[in-house]
Amino acid sequence: MSIAQNDSLKFECETGNYHTFCPISCVSWLYQKIEDSFFLVIGTKTCGYFLQNALGVMIFAEPRYAMAELEEADISAQLNDYKELKRLCLQIKQDRNPSVIVWIGTCTTEIIKMDLEGMAPRLEVEIGIPIVVARANGLDYAFTQGEDTVLAAMANRCPSKECNQDNDNSSKSVVKNTGETKTLDIMQGNEVLPISSDISVKNALTKMPSVLPQGSNLVQDFEQQEHPSLVLFGSLPSTVVSVLTLELNKQGINVAGWLPSQRYSDLPILGEDVYVCGVNPYLSRTAMTLMRRKKCKLINAPFPIGPDGTRAWVEKICQVFGIIPKGLEEREIKIWQSLEDYLSLVRGKSVFFMGDNLLEISLARFLTRCGMVVYECGVPYLDKRYQAAELNLLEKTCLEMNVPMPRIVEKPDNYYQVQRIRELQPDLVITGMALSNPLEARGITTKWSVEFTFAQIHGFSNSRDILELVTRPLRRNQIQHFSAKSLVKSTGVTKTLSRDVSLMN
Amino acid sequence: MKLAYWMYAGPAHIGTLRVASSFKNVHAIMHAPLGDDYFNVMRSMLERERDFTPVTTSIVDRHVLARGSQEKVVENITRKDKEDHPDLILLTPTCTSSILQEDLQNFVDRAAMEANSDVLLADVNHYRVNELQAADRTLEQIVRFYIQKAKKQNSLVTNKTIRPSVNILGIFTLGFHNQHDCRELKILLNDLGIEVNEVIPEGGSVLNLKNLPKAWFNIVPYREIGLMTAVYLEKEHQMPYVDITAMGIIQTEAFIRQIAKVLNFLDKSKNYNFDHYIDQQTRFVSQAAWFARSIDCQNLTGKKAVVFGDATHAVAMTKILVREMGIRVACAGTYCQHDADWFREQVWGFCDEVLITDDHTQVGDMIARVEPSAIFGTQMERHVGKRLDIPCGVISAPVHIQNFPLGYRPFLGYEGTNQIADLVYNSFTLGMEDHLLEIFGGHDSKEVITKSLSTQSELNWTIDAIAELNKIPGFVRGKIKRNTEKFARQNSITDISVDVMYAAKESVGA
């Protein structure tokens, strides 16, 4: 199949018959990120079975999440939802005493129209713990979009600057309801002090953003410039949070907070003059909520994945704040140089994204810059407005690298994709675990897409980790002689295989 | 509603999918939302399957909620029919479609008219049955369908084979060591001069189901799956079945004797007698009888063990430990609550107590209370064992990838007895070596905080007390720690010092 050279990206949409994780999987990383949270997934055995198997060993570490497993009496409304949830939430309060309980609504609660959003505020008052409702179900969303629904719900719980004044405002009543009066006491005037007790006094005095890891004084080394408040959104491991925060500090930009924060009680302050910027491509609902409900200003930038993405991300934020970025170009060049050993492996190779976690556009852009040719970029859902800057950068990168634009397929059909893979024979297919082994058996090299979700891939220094993942199967191919051979019977492989093995001996 | 984060048996549709994907050229279409196709991941990863799992989804999304599936399910069935030409397409309902209550049977009927494949709707209710029951039911449903179809077409093969022959019912994908067990059963049957007619569903073809009645009788290796089919075939075609699980020496002998009985009943012209074979195998091929007699096994006499798993494996394991190795089973349990009566009857007299539950915290607490020297359970019990420093041998699903070994590891038949002996012996010696190391001050870097699993202890141990505790040999340390804490709680002491430890010791008079 020849790929015509296009001058702009082509978008397609297929049937949506593809494999991906259920969005409730977001609890696995969010409960670890938000340390004082408890996630309650209100669903059936099917949801539970998925979590138990997808999360593997995590299950055995007494995780801070559980299933509220619906039984037949719940479905047929013989039991009172409110009373049942109250019973379970009181039990959770007694056993774990979390600062917030996040209810994850599932397909079943959607279908039986369980009014979670209606029940939560009432129950919240009764039991004295905030309850955040996120509908992360498979009817509407795919995999990482689960985080999007949770963060969008949490954005509504972020304190507003005005909440200590007397105007009637929804977040104020919420704060009152939940007995979090401490938050109100501390936020006097515009002076914002960290409210979490485990942040040292010293940090508080230097107006250190409360999201930075304890004991970190990095901020003081850089001259801070006057600019409006900046809040970043997207759940990242705390080390990556400090890396990106530091990157902006170097440009004199102070990060006022992150959504989500390490603790629920440290959610950032949002309001009309707050600028927000996303770090992950799947957070379009959160972005929408921040703009429409919290009146924040969204900085539309490419995502800080890969050195090119990180640079573009920092530059865009600087540009919005009228700051001239310094040292970024050299920084990027240096990172690229340090990646040379991996780049030589991927240059000229072709890659096919089947699509399941919405990171595809950003990764395709990075890999194009690395010298790869992207045949197809499957993606579960594409918000062209939220990803606008990323899509522009992808287009620009393709032109600069003089490679054909990838075909972007929204809601792909795995069956058709496998046909195309057979025809194109790409050097690497990035796909889910359901298809990896069957493709490998047919001599197609694959990489599990899920790993990109859990690995640290943001910022300059983590670019190496992305390439480490991408090149692993390619390096394996270099070592193993028979890996490119088909290992499926009908093609008479067994002979080839044994001959190859004997050659190796 | 039930607060849970771990379950032993999966939801019903998993059972149905296991049946469908075990057969050759059968395709299952799930009526489910996006992301419910996690079965494909499990099969591809755990079984390391080379082929694409023949399961797709007719996706239930917002549009379906608003106006029903309408043409979607039918289109997906006919599309798959054209793409892959399967022999059978099985429409699989999930928890979601159970509530939507769409007339899936109607879709199936419509699609059946257009498609070349047979089309069936799996008859399982998500809220009433679990994975194992659903698999049992679906297998019976498919067999019944093809037997009746053959009857209608007059293509049913009813004349028996000349030599004695059997069908093996209930070998499955994602089953615990099923592939190895199947091979071992075939070897055993071959030794007995019995032909294997059909093995279903694993690797079987639905087109061959019409040949089932050719066999003289059926074998159901596992209690959970296959029994319904065997009962159906007995009723419809007067085929007797043997449902003794050939696990352990005594049970394998009982299995073979039952086969002899069935054969002698079916064929009065010959006298089938396998006594010599049993004797030879027991004494010389299987090492388990000799192992039981050897000095190694003597050391295991009276040691305490806990057994938990599915009904088949937990029962067989309990009997092996007690009758063949002289180990004391303090508690035998199963999560197959639907089969609780059978389980109780089987382990009656072999264990101190019986635990029937599908709540893993109950099992964990039981283990913490009983403090056995070894556990034989599922992956969950293995992790409980890790926390409590008690060795565990995995004998039943649910399982991890390491329970799908590449090497030959049957649990059934005579080679199975060897494997089980190794498993048991390794579990116990590891435990004993560990204790010896601790007695002689070996590795002692880890500290067990608490032995109770469901509630956190609110007691503080002072540094001195912890040091004192660490001087106590490992195998009694847990007990002393618990006794001390019990004493502290009874006397409302929150900080445990060395004094408290000795006060506690005195109070129990030890």
Side-chain angles (χ1 to χ4, degrees):
Chain A
M1 187 189 276
S2 67
I3 299 162
Q5 180 108 16
N6 304 318
D7 45 5
S8 65
L9 290 166
K10 289 264 157 22
F11 300 95
E12 285 171 49
C13 187
E14 278 184 338
T15 61
N17 273 320
Y18 63 99
H19 293 280
T20 184
F21 273 17
C22 176
I24 58 172
S25 53
C26 67
V27 305
S28 68
W29 65 86
L30 287 175
Y31 91 79
Q32 293 187 46
K33 172 71 195 175
I34 308 167
E35 284 169 358
D36 51 354
S37 62
F38 191 96
F39 285 78
L40 185 67
V41 182
I42 305 161
T44 60
K45 253 187 188 316
T46 308
C47 314
Y49 197 66
F50 163 70
L51 280 180
Q52 148 174 351
N53 285 294
L55 274 49
V57 277
M58 249 187 249
I59 289 289
F60 300 105
E62 291 231 352
R64 287 189 321 281
Y65 74 79
M67 291 291 308
E69 192 184 310
L70 300 168
E71 290 163 305
E72 199 164 16
D74 297 301
I75 305 298
S76 51
Q78 286 164 31
L79 290 171
N80 182 313
D81 300 335
Y82 185 78
K83 281 186 189 154
E84 289 294 300
L85 281 170
K86 185 177 168 187
R87 183 170 59 83
L88 298 191
C89 288
L90 282 173
Q91 197 180 329
I92 292 165
K93 186 185 178 185
Q94 193 197 335
D95 291 351
R96 308 291 182 92
N97 196 27
S99 313
V100 60
I101 297 177
V102 182
W103 285 355
I104 304 286
T106 62
C107 304
T108 313
T109 57
E110 285 300 305
I111 296 170
I112 63 174
K113 299 197 165 49
M114 195 184 272
D115 183 20
L116 297 178
E117 276 96 346
M119 285 188 276
R122 272 169 63 202
L123 194 54
E124 183 166 284
V125 176
E126 269 197 75
I127 68 170
I129 296 179
I131 295 172
V132 172
V133 181
R135 302 186 188 187
N137 60 66
L139 294 168
D140 302 307
Y141 305 110
F143 197 10
T144 48
Q145 286 181 293
E147 175 182 321
D148 194 20
T149 62
V150 173
L151 295 190
M154 255 182 206
N156 288 318
R157 297 309 185 93
C158 291
S160 303
K161 273 190 183 166
E162 309 86 60
C163 71
N164 61 334
Q165 289 155 16
D166 264 328
N167 53 359
D168 197 37
N169 144 330
S170 64
S171 58
K172 178 188 173 185
S173 57
V174 166
V175 172
K176 263 190 183 163
N177 280 344
T178 57
E180 279 186 307
T181 37
K182 249 201 292 180
T183 326
L184 285 171
D185 295 338
I186 293 165
M187 290 186 300
Q188 298 296 332
N190 284 331
E191 187 71 295
V192 183
L193 294 176
I195 46 177
S196 163
S197 56
D198 56 7
I199 301 286
S200 67
V201 181
K202 183 182 153 212
N203 281 346
L205 290 174
T206 53
K207 290 186 205 167
M208 180 78 183
S210 53
V211 285
L212 269 190
Q214 303 158 36
S216 155
N217 322 323
L218 299 162
V219 158
Q220 291 148 347
D221 302 341
F222 306 102
E223 197 185 325
Q224 299 297 318
Q225 302 199 10
E226 280 300 311
H227 62 77
S229 176
L230 172 69
V231 169
L232 301 177
F233 58 95
S235 164
L236 293 176
S238 60
T239 48
V240 184
V241 165
S242 4
V243 163
L244 289 181
T245 309
L246 187 63
E247 211 59 67
L248 291 173
N249 286 340
K250 280 185 187 161
Q251 304 300 335
I253 296 169
N254 180 33
V255 180
W258 280 78
L259 176 70
S261 44
Q262 198 76 21
R263 302 181 63 83
Y264 176 75
S265 38
D266 294 345
L267 282 179
I269 294 171
L270 297 174
E272 247 177 87
D273 48 355
V274 174
Y275 281 75
V276 289
C277 187
V279 295
N280 270 321
Y282 43 77
L283 299 173
S284 54
R285 264 181 84 89
T286 310
M288 194 79 79
T289 310
L290 290 171
M291 285 193 297
R292 296 207 176 143
R293 300 286 302 274
K294 308 302 277 188
K295 311 286 178 222
C296 302
K297 297 183 179 69
L298 179 72
I299 302 175
N300 198 315
F303 302 100
I305 293 169
D308 49 340
T310 310
R311 179 182 164 190
W313 182 73
V314 176
E315 274 177 350
K316 185 66 194 274
I317 295 172
C318 287
Q319 188 201 328
V320 169
F321 290 151
I323 294 168
I324 296 155
K326 40 182 192 279
L328 273 185
E329 200 181 339
E330 301 82 66
R331 188 82 203 278
E332 195 197 341
I333 292 168
K334 229 174 152 184
I335 295 286
W336 283 117
Q337 280 167 353
S338 71
L339 297 176
E340 189 47 44
D341 51 341
Y342 280 155
L343 293 177
S344 61
L345 282 172
V346 299
R347 234 170 246 138
K349 296 242 163 53
S350 53
V351 59
F352 189 110
F353 286 90
M354 291 191 84
D356 71 345
N357 60 11
L358 284 93
L359 294 170
E360 291 87 5
I361 304 286
S362 307
L363 288 173
R365 177 259 305 152
F366 168 61
L367 292 182
T368 306
R369 177 61 72 187
C370 291
M372 292 184 94
V373 179
V374 183
Y375 284 160
E376 175 165 331
C377 191
V379 57
Y381 167 75
L382 185 61
D383 185 332
K384 284 184 196 151
R385 280 176 301 173
Y386 175 64
Q387 295 222 38
E390 185 63 89
L391 287 166
N392 280 337
L393 186 59
L394 172 63
E395 213 171 77
K396 207 177 112 204
T397 307
C398 287
L399 290 173
E400 282 176 18
M401 299 301 289
N402 196 24
V403 291
M405 304 267 172
R407 146 188 202 161
I408 294 177
V409 182
E410 212 180 339
K411 296 174 93 182
D413 186 299
N414 281 166
Y415 183 85
Y416 298 144
Q417 283 186 314
V418 170
Q419 311 299 322
R420 293 198 285 271
I421 289 170
R422 284 205 170 118
E423 208 171 328
L424 293 164
Q425 291 287 317
D427 295 311
L428 182 67
V429 174
I430 296 181
T431 181
M433 293 198 272
L435 298 164
S436 269
N437 270 339
L439 285 172
E440 287 283 351
R442 281 156 187 77
I444 306 272
T445 304
T446 63
K447 180 79 222 141
W448 299 342
S449 51
V450 184
E451 288 189 77
F452 292 99
T453 319
F454 295 107
Q456 306 196 346
I457 60 169
H458 293 76
F460 282 120
S461 49
N462 286 326
S463 309
R464 202 170 175 81
D465 292 55
I466 310 176
L467 283 177
E468 159 74 30
L469 288 178
V470 171
T471 58
R472 195 177 298 158
L474 303 174
R475 283 178 281 135
R476 186 266 326 257
N477 284 352
Q478 287 187 328
I479 301 165
Q480 293 179 354
H481 276 235
F482 50 82
S483 59
K485 301 268 158 38
S486 166
L487 288 162
V488 200
K489 248 182 195 163
S490 52
T491 46
V493 215
T494 16
K495 270 184 204 158
T496 358
L497 176 60
S498 55
R499 200 166 51 229
D500 256 37
V501 172
S502 62
L503 276 177
M504 282 169 70
N505 290 338
Chain B
M1 274 182 218
K2 205 167 81 179
L3 195 64
Y5 68 91
W6 210 79
M7 67 186 86
Y8 284 101
H13 70 268
I14 298 286
T16 301
L17 297 181
R18 280 177 61 191
V19 176
S21 54
S22 294
F23 277 115
K24 256 190 253 163
N25 213 22
V26 171
H27 197 98
I29 295 184
M30 293 166 71
H31 187 241
L34 192 67
D36 270 4
D37 51 9
Y38 191 72
F39 175 77
N40 298 39
V41 176
M42 288 181 60
R43 192 165 128 98
S44 170
M45 298 307 297
L46 296 178
E47 290 264 33
R48 296 185 195 86
E49 185 55 55
R50 297 171 199 225
D51 276 318
F52 295 99
T53 305
V55 173
T56 43
T57 312
S58 172
I59 289 177
V60 175
D61 57 14
R62 279 284 154 192
H63 301 293
V64 172
L65 283 199
R67 47 187 198 114
S69 297
Q70 294 189 352
E71 299 300 316
K72 201 172 183 181
V73 175
V74 179
E75 270 165 23
N76 277 314
I77 294 174
T78 47
R79 177 186 155 186
K80 194 42 75 182
D81 176 55
K82 289 199 186 81
E83 282 169 1
D84 287 357
H85 313 290
D87 299 324
L88 167 68
I89 294 177
L90 192 70
L91 183 61
T92 309
T94 58
C95 58
T96 310
S97 53
S98 285
I99 325 170
L100 285 176
Q101 298 193 325
E102 282 193 85
D103 190 358
L104 295 179
Q105 187 59 53
N106 175 34
F107 296 150
V108 163
D109 293 342
R110 272 165 56 201
M113 286 192 281
E114 274 185 59
N116 291 319
S117 329
D118 295 311
V119 188
L120 273 180
L121 171 66
D123 175 26
V124 289
N125 180 330
H126 179 90
Y127 294 95
R128 303 254 164 102
V129 294
N130 68 18
E131 171 184 356
L132 301 172
Q133 294 163 290
D136 200 12
R137 216 173 266 244
T138 306
L139 183 62
E140 194 251 14
Q141 190 190 359
I142 293 175
V143 167
R144 184 189 289 261
F145 176 80
Y146 278 98
I147 296 264
Q148 281 173 352
K149 190 180 173 190
K151 250 187 207 160
K152 254 184 234 156
Q153 296 173 340
N154 266 330
S155 59
L156 193 69
V157 189
T158 44
N159 49 328
K160 299 289 172 191
T161 54
I162 300 159
R163 290 179 57 209
S165 62
V166 294
N167 301 314
I168 302 177
L169 311 178
I171 304 292
F172 278 89
T173 186
L174 291 173
F176 183 74
H177 294 243
N178 274 16
Q179 315 281 6
H180 311 288
D181 283 349
C182 182
R183 192 168 138 198
E184 184 62 23
L185 280 177
K186 281 181 181 168
I187 292 170
L188 195 145
L189 291 165
N190 186 46
D191 287 351
L192 299 180
I194 300 171
E195 284 170 13
V196 175
N197 182 45
E198 293 286 333
V199 178
I200 60 166
E202 184 64 45
S205 161
V206 286
L207 302 179
N208 288 344
L209 291 178
K210 62 175 187 292
N211 297 330
L212 283 176
K214 243 168 73 182
W216 289 26
F217 64 104
N218 293 314
I219 289 175
V220 184
Y222 312 106
R223 172 92 191 157
E224 286 74 22
I225 306 172
L227 215 48
M228 274 181 84
T229 313
V231 170
Y232 167 75
L233 289 171
E234 186 187 42
K235 222 173 102 195
E236 290 288 308
H237 295 282
Q238 293 75 47
M239 297 175 75
Y241 62 89
V242 175
D243 64 347
I244 297 173
T245 303
M247 192 171 149
I249 289 185
I250 299 173
Q251 286 288 93
T252 305
E253 183 178 337
F255 170 77
I256 297 173
R257 288 196 191 284
Q258 186 65 28
I259 289 178
K261 213 168 131 189
V262 169
L263 289 177
N264 284 324
F265 167 78
L266 290 171
D267 179 9
K268 306 264 186 323
S269 67
K270 270 189 222 156
N271 181 26
Y272 293 90
N273 187 330
F274 302 125
D275 288 356
H276 179 69
Y277 175 75
I278 294 171
D279 180 61
Q280 288 296 308
Q281 292 284 322
T282 306
R283 288 196 296 144
F284 305 112
V285 175
S286 162
Q287 301 295 315
W290 160 235
F291 166 74
R293 196 65 205 164
S294 72
I295 218 76
D296 273 336
C297 200
Q298 208 179 76
N299 285 339
L300 299 182
T301 308
K303 285 247 181 276
K304 225 181 345 175
V306 160
V307 179
F308 195 85
D310 63 19
T312 303
H313 289 89
V315 163
M317 203 63 203
T318 304
K319 289 180 178 174
I320 292 170
L321 290 175
V322 175
R323 291 193 297 192
E324 297 177 19
M325 298 180 178
I327 290 161
R328 180 176 149 215
V329 175
C331 181
T334 183
Y335 55 84
C336 296
Q337 288 171 306
H338 59 277
D339 214 7
D341 292 340
W342 180 81
F343 185 84
R344 277 199 199 91
E345 184 197 312
Q346 290 292 311
V347 297
W348 175 255
F350 290 115
C351 57
D352 303 349
E353 58 176 307
V354 175
L355 179 65
I356 313 273
T357 181
D358 62 354
D359 179 352
H360 69 96
T361 53
Q362 272 191 40
V363 180
D365 287 345
M366 177 270 290
I367 294 171
R369 173 170 53 80
V370 169
E371 287 184 67
S373 312
I375 309 166
F376 298 94
T378 71
Q379 279 294 334
M380 193 65 196
E381 282 69 51
R382 193 171 73 85
H383 284 268
V384 172
K386 264 190 185 167
R387 282 189 66 180
L388 300 178
D389 263 341
I390 301 171
C392 177
V394 176
I395 55 143
S396 161
V399 283
H400 281 176
I401 193 151
Q402 71 254 42
N403 301 113
F404 292 88
L406 302 176
Y408 187 48
R409 302 250 192 287
F411 269 64
L412 301 187
Y414 286 108
E415 177 54 28
T417 61
N418 292 338
Q419 298 290 337
I420 293 169
D422 278 343
L423 180 77
V424 171
Y425 183 64
N426 289 341
S427 303
F428 277 106
T429 40
L430 284 180
M432 286 207 286
E433 275 168 20
D434 206 45
H435 290 327
L436 285 173
L437 275 171
E438 294 210 5
I439 288 170
F440 296 111
H443 58 86
D444 201 1
S445 49
K446 55 182 175 284
E447 58 180 279
V448 181
I449 308 296
T450 170
K451 286 240 172 179
S452 96
L453 284 162
S454 46
T455 50
Q456 278 292 348
S457 164
E458 70 287 3
L459 298 165
N460 293 321
W461 284 73
T462 64
I463 296 161
D464 290 349
I466 289 172
E468 188 66 25
L469 190 67
N470 283 338
K471 285 183 201 158
I472 295 159
F475 59 96
V476 286
R477 189 183 301 153
K479 194 172 259 170
I480 290 186
K481 180 154 194 277
R482 241 179 330 289
N483 282 342
T484 311
E485 289 185 348
K486 197 171 149 197
F487 173 82
R489 272 196 205 96
Q490 281 165 353
N491 294 285
S492 314
I493 300 167
T494 50
D495 294 313
I496 297 175
S497 62
V498 182
D499 291 344
V500 177
M501 279 178 79
Y502 284 103
K505 190 182 172 207
E506 277 159 29
S507 82
V508 291

